[in-house]
Amino acid sequence: MLISATLSKPTKIVEEKLGRNFQKIRIARNPSVKISASYEMEMFTDKQAFHKTLTEKEAVEFIEQNSGSCFKNVTERTDREEITILTNKHGETKTLRKPLKNIQPVQNKTFNRKKNYIIPEDTPVPFLTELGVMTKDGKVISQKYDKFRQINRFLEFIDDIIDDVIRLNQKDFTEDEPLRVIDFGSGKSYLTFATYYFLNDIKKIPCRITGLDLKEDVIKECSALSKKLNCLNLDFKIGNIEDFDEDRNPDIIITLHACNTATDYALNYAVTKNAKAILSVPCCQHEINTQLEKSSAIKNSSFSLLAKYGLIRERFSALVTDALRAELLEQQNYNVQILEFIDMSHTPKNILIRAVKKQGHQTKSGDLKILDELKITQTLNNLLSRKN
C-alpha cells in the first residue's frame, strides 16, 4: 500500500505535460479520510501550492506516468519498503529498494494507519512531553492533537527549503559556524523547540536558535525548559521585534502570529540582514483595515463593494496586506510562496508566507498600484522605501 511519495528535480517537459512548472510534488495518504479519495497531493511551483485529492489507483498511476519523464528523483514509501527512482541526464533509470524495519501486519484495507509525520506518534520526544503535547510514553494528548499536527506541518515547510538554505550558504554549517535561526514572537515556543529538535536531532545540522518575545514570564519559562532539556544552542530573549538587532546575520527568520505590523518589522529585519529563508504566519492585520474604515477612497475605487461590510473589509484588508508583503519580498530577490499552514477549520489565521533568497542581490520593481488607488500606506513598504 502506498503511504507517501515525493517527486522532485523536474525535467523540461513538466509544464508541457502537467500545465504548470511544478518544482516538487508530494503525495500522502490521509488516514482520517474513509472514502476512496484518500490521498492528498500538493504541487509546488516557485510561488504557489496547488492541492488535489486522489484515489490510491490515481496516485499510483500518476507516479508511474511522471517518474523519469517529468521528475528525475522520486521517493515512494509503502507499508513495506522505501523505493527511490533516480533518472540521469540520458534518461536511464535506476530503482533502489530498502525494506522497512519492524513492519506491522496490514489488517484488511482499513483507513486507520497513522500519518507519516516528521515527528512520529508513539515515540517520546522530551520537549513535547514537557510542553504537554505528549505523555511520557509518546502518546499525543487528544486535546493537543491539533498542536501536534501544526508542529509537524511547520517542520514540513522547513524540510522543503533546508537544502536551499545550505546551498545558499555555499558550504555546510558547522559547530563553529552554525545555521542561525531567529523566531520573532516565539510565545510558548512550541515551534522554536520543534525547529531546534528537527535541525539538531533529526537533520544533524549544527544550529543556533534565538526566540524573542515581549513577555518576561514566558521567556523565563522557555529559558528554564531549554536548560532542562540541555538545548545548548537554544536561547530566549525579552525584546521588541522593532528594536532587535544582532551582529551575526540570521539564515532563517520565523514569525508565527506576530501581531499586526510586528510581522512587517520581522520581514524587514530578514531583508536587511539578507536572511536566506523566511517562514511567516501573519496575525491581526489592522493597519490597512483601519485606514479603509476611515477613508472614502475605497468607495470610489473598483473595490468599493468589498468595503460595504465590516467583516469582508477586514478579510480583504488582510489579503491585501499579505499580497503586498509577498510582492515586496519578491522585489527584494526572494522566491515567494503563499501556502496554507493548517486547515481553515482549526484557525482562520492559516496563511504562511514562505520566501527563499535567490542567488545574487538584484532588486526589481513590482505592482503596488493598489496602494495609490486606495490611498493607503503599508509598513513593510515604508520600511523598505527608506532603505532605497
Side-chain angles (χ1 to χ4, degrees):
M1 178 188 297
L2 177 68
I3 303 300
S4 65
T6 300
L7 296 81
S8 58
K9 290 197 175 179
T11 66
K12 294 180 180 180
I13 70 167
V14 167
E15 187 170 6
E16 177 184 344
K17 190 173 180 181
L18 299 181
R20 293 181 186 273
N21 188 21
F22 293 114
Q23 298 300 301
K24 180 183 290 188
I25 293 178
R26 184 190 294 117
I27 299 171
R29 187 168 179 272
N30 185 350
S32 65
V33 178
K34 298 183 179 180
I35 58 176
S36 58
S38 58
Y39 288 80
E40 297 175 353
M41 180 162 69
E42 293 181 291
M43 311 169 77
F44 300 93
T45 66
D46 279 342
K47 300 179 181 179
Q48 294 174 286
F50 299 85
H51 299 81
K52 189 175 182 180
T53 56
L54 304 172
T55 64
E56 182 175 9
K57 181 180 178 182
E58 290 170 336
V60 171
E61 288 179 351
F62 182 89
I63 295 167
E64 291 176 349
Q65 292 168 4
N66 294 286
S67 296
S69 60
C70 285
F71 295 92
K72 295 180 180 179
N73 283 12
V74 177
T75 301
E76 293 181 62
R77 184 184 175 93
T78 72
D79 52 349
R80 293 189 171 276
E81 61 182 345
E82 185 175 273
I83 306 166
T84 302
I85 304 170
L86 304 173
T87 305
N88 63 23
K89 62 182 180 181
H90 303 296
E92 299 168 338
T93 298
K94 178 169 65 173
T95 301
L96 307 174
R97 295 178 180 271
K98 178 181 177 183
L100 298 180
K101 297 179 181 179
N102 303 321
I103 298 172
Q104 299 296 321
V106 179
Q107 299 178 355
N108 301 320
K109 281 197 174 182
T110 58
F111 291 85
N112 60 357
R113 185 176 300 279
K114 293 179 179 177
K115 185 173 179 178
N116 186 31
Y117 289 117
I118 288 179
I119 298 179
E121 298 181 60
D122 300 326
T123 302
V125 178
F127 85 89
L128 289 177
T129 301
E130 294 291 338
L131 290 171
V133 177
M134 275 184 174
T135 61
K136 291 183 178 180
D137 59 355
K139 301 291 184 184
V140 178
I141 295 170
S142 58
Q143 296 92 328
K144 291 289 186 177
Y145 201 83
D146 286 346
K147 178 62 68 176
F148 178 75
R149 289 179 65 250
Q150 181 194 67
I151 289 169
N152 275 284
R153 179 65 169 156
F154 191 79
L155 295 183
E156 288 174 3
F157 287 129
I158 295 179
D159 193 30
D160 283 343
I161 55 92
I162 195 63
D163 288 343
D164 293 320
V165 172
I166 295 172
R167 174 179 53 80
L168 288 165
N169 195 54
Q170 299 182 342
K171 59 182 178 180
D172 290 338
F173 293 100
T174 65
E175 296 295 339
D176 292 331
E177 296 185 13
L179 187 154
R180 289 283 292 129
V181 181
I182 300 175
D183 184 355
F184 284 121
S186 53
K188 292 185 178 179
S189 301
Y190 291 96
L191 297 187
T192 325
F193 280 100
T195 302
Y196 182 84
Y197 178 79
F198 173 69
L199 294 172
N200 188 69
D201 292 59
I202 296 178
K203 300 295 285 187
K204 306 299 182 184
I205 298 173
C207 63
R208 183 165 190 85
I209 301 180
T210 298
L212 183 79
D213 202 274
L214 287 169
K215 298 176 182 177
E216 184 177 352
D217 57 336
V218 171
I219 291 298
K220 285 183 178 179
E221 290 176 8
C222 293
S223 297
L225 179 56
S226 178
K227 185 176 181 180
K228 181 178 181 179
L229 296 174
N230 197 32
C231 300
L232 300 179
N233 290 317
L234 173 59
D235 65 330
F236 295 89
K237 297 180 180 180
I238 302 168
N240 191 320
I241 297 173
E242 185 176 349
D243 302 323
F244 182 80
D245 194 20
E246 278 192 340
D247 294 335
R248 174 82 183 269
N249 284 2
D251 298 292
I252 299 175
I253 291 291
I254 294 170
T255 75
L256 178 67
H257 298 160
C259 191
N260 199 20
T261 57
T263 293
D264 297 297
Y265 284 102
L267 297 179
N268 179 65
Y269 185 88
V271 170
T272 302
K273 296 294 186 176
N274 202 33
K276 299 174 182 66
I278 303 164
L279 294 100
S280 176
V281 181
C283 176
C284 305
Q285 298 143 319
H286 302 306
E287 182 183 35
I288 288 178
N289 185 40
T290 300
Q291 294 178 69
L292 295 181
E293 186 179 13
K294 297 177 180 178
S295 172
S296 60
I298 192 170
K299 297 177 181 178
N300 301 318
S301 76
S302 56
F303 303 104
S304 58
L305 184 61
L306 296 172
K308 187 175 181 180
Y309 305 99
L311 180 60
I312 291 177
R313 186 185 63 243
E314 180 183 348
R315 293 183 180 179
F316 168 68
S317 299
L319 291 172
V320 170
T321 301
D322 287 335
L324 286 168
R325 286 165 172 163
E327 178 64 27
L328 288 163
L329 288 174
E330 286 197 356
Q331 291 181 24
Q332 298 297 321
N333 208 35
Y334 284 86
N335 280 319
V336 182
Q337 293 175 295
I338 300 292
L339 305 169
E340 184 179 76
F341 181 27
I342 52 177
D343 192 88
M344 184 70 82
S345 63
H346 299 294
T347 174
K349 303 168 185 176
N350 73 330
I351 284 180
L352 181 139
I353 302 172
R354 185 171 69 184
V356 178
K357 191 74 174 176
K358 298 178 185 177
Q359 294 282 8
H361 302 281
Q362 184 177 1
T363 59
K364 63 177 183 178
S365 59
D367 182 8
L368 302 177
K369 293 191 294 291
I370 195 170
L371 288 170
D372 294 328
E373 182 172 357
L374 296 181
K375 294 183 171 53
I376 54 176
T377 60
Q378 199 278 325
T379 295
L380 181 60
N381 182 52
N382 294 343
L383 292 169
L384 294 175
S385 296
R386 294 172 194 169
K387 293 180 172 61
N388 296 330

